[in-house]
């Protein structure tokens, strides 16, 4: 069985990326986990409350759907690498006034901003270099846009194998430099985010079809 581990990212890079979001509405921090030299790397959006609490990617309800993805592919978490575009939980607080007049705050997940994704870009870059996956599967638009830019959506690209360069942080220590495209060519297979089916069950058959296509691709030896 493959060893589940996090990519050995330079602690200085981790500290820099975390510092960039120190004053943003985010909490916690979580590196990706999985096997080195995994055949496939799944990239999600950002950890949620359950992920930060347990210190593992994709747990809770979204984790159950992620497990269903892997089962459909006849894979285990020990055989893949699972990570995300942003490593801290982006949240929003909503003030709720109870009948007693007492005010409380309800904290929920939110989509990370483009600036937050860029702030953590060097972390994903380092993981990709370490894992060297045969296929990168961005799950959802945030992950897809992080890798190839904003010109496409998962709705238009899901279930299709595309090959080309990916976006990387142009300079680790300079956010204003933005992204540059890699010299290396990667295989990208966009998927709907596992949480998507929780809000739209009609996507189930579409997702299953995409996973079956991906399984066929993975069965072909490189």
């Amino acid at each position: 069985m493959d060893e589940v581990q996090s990519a050995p990212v330079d602690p200085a890079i981790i500290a820099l990326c975390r510092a960039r979001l120190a004053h943003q509405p985010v909490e916690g921090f979580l590196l990706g986990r999985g096997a080195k030299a995994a055949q496939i790397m799944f990239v999600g959006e950002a950890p949620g409350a359950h992920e930060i609490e347990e210190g593992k990617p994709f747990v809770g309800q979204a984790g159950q759907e992620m497990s269903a993805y892997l089962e459909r592919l006849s894979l285990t978490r020990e055989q893949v690498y699972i990570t995300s575009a942003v490593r801290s939980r982006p949240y929003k607080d909503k003030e709720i006034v109870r009948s007693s007049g007492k005010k409380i705050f309800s904290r929920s997940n939110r989509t990370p901003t483009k600036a937050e994704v860029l702030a953590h870009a060097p972390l994903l870059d380092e993981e990709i270099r370490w894992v060297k996956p045969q296929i990168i599967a961005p799950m959802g638009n945030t992950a897809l846009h992080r890798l190839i830019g904003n010109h496409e959506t998962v709705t238009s690209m899901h279930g299709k194998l595309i090959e080309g360069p990916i976006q990387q942080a142009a300079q680790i220590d300079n956010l204003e430099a933005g992204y540059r495209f890699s010299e290396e060519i990667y295989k990208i297979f966009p998927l709907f985010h596992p949480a998507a089916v929780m809000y739209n069950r009609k996507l189930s058959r579409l997702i299953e079809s995409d996973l079956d296509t991906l399984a066929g691709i993975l069965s072909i030896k490189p």
Side-chain angles (χ1 to χ4, degrees):
M1 180 177 293
D2 297 295
E3 179 184 359
V4 175
Q5 56 188 314
S6 295
V9 179
D10 185 339
I13 293 178
I14 293 176
L16 175 64
C17 293
R18 295 191 70 175
R20 287 171 171 168
L21 299 187
H23 301 294
Q24 300 302 313
V26 301
E27 62 182 359
F29 185 81
L30 181 65
L31 285 172
R33 287 167 56 92
K36 183 177 182 180
Q39 192 176 10
I40 182 168
M41 172 186 278
F42 293 95
V43 182
E45 181 176 275
H50 294 294
E51 285 76 17
I52 291 301
E53 182 179 349
E54 296 192 28
K56 298 177 182 179
F58 281 97
V59 294
Q61 282 186 295
Q64 293 176 14
E65 297 297 337
M66 183 75 235
S67 295
Y69 277 29
L70 295 176
E71 184 177 355
R72 188 91 184 180
L73 295 168
S74 298
L75 293 171
T76 66
R77 288 178 182 250
E78 291 78 18
Q79 294 173 303
V80 302
Y81 197 91
I82 304 175
T83 188
S84 57
V86 173
R87 308 313 169 84
S88 297
R89 177 200 180 194
Y91 66 82
K92 57 183 177 182
D93 286 332
K94 180 179 179 181
E95 184 179 88
I96 299 175
V97 181
R98 290 183 169 174
S99 57
S100 62
K102 182 179 180 180
K103 295 180 180 180
I104 62 172
F105 286 93
S106 174
R107 179 161 293 183
S108 59
N109 300 331
R110 64 171 173 82
T111 301
T113 66
K114 293 179 182 179
E116 289 166 344
V117 173
L118 177 58
H120 280 189
L123 297 173
L124 182 57
D125 293 342
E126 288 296 301
E127 288 181 322
I128 291 173
R129 293 188 187 102
W130 183 73
V131 178
K132 295 182 174 65
Q134 294 171 27
I135 294 176
I136 304 175
M139 300 184 294
N141 283 327
T142 297
L144 180 65
H145 294 165
R146 162 62 180 87
L147 292 171
I148 70 170
N150 300 337
H151 59 286
E152 296 287 358
T153 66
V154 166
T155 299
S156 63
M157 297 297 292
H158 71 90
K160 301 175 184 177
L161 183 67
I162 56 179
E163 296 189 40
I166 61 173
Q167 291 190 141
Q168 298 174 331
Q171 296 179 23
I172 292 176
D173 58 353
N174 182 7
L175 280 178
E176 294 183 1
Y179 295 105
R180 65 173 176 82
F181 277 98
S182 65
E183 295 180 0
E184 300 85 0
I185 299 299
Y186 293 88
K187 293 180 179 180
I188 311 294
F189 192 90
L191 291 168
F192 286 102
H193 192 281
V197 74
M198 294 161 51
Y199 304 103
N200 184 1
R201 285 292 169 185
K202 293 180 180 179
L203 289 175
S204 295
R205 290 188 178 180
L206 205 57
I207 291 172
E208 289 174 354
S209 177
D210 290 347
L211 292 171
D212 290 344
T213 299
L214 179 56
I217 295 170
L218 292 173
S219 68
I220 302 173
K221 299 299 180 180

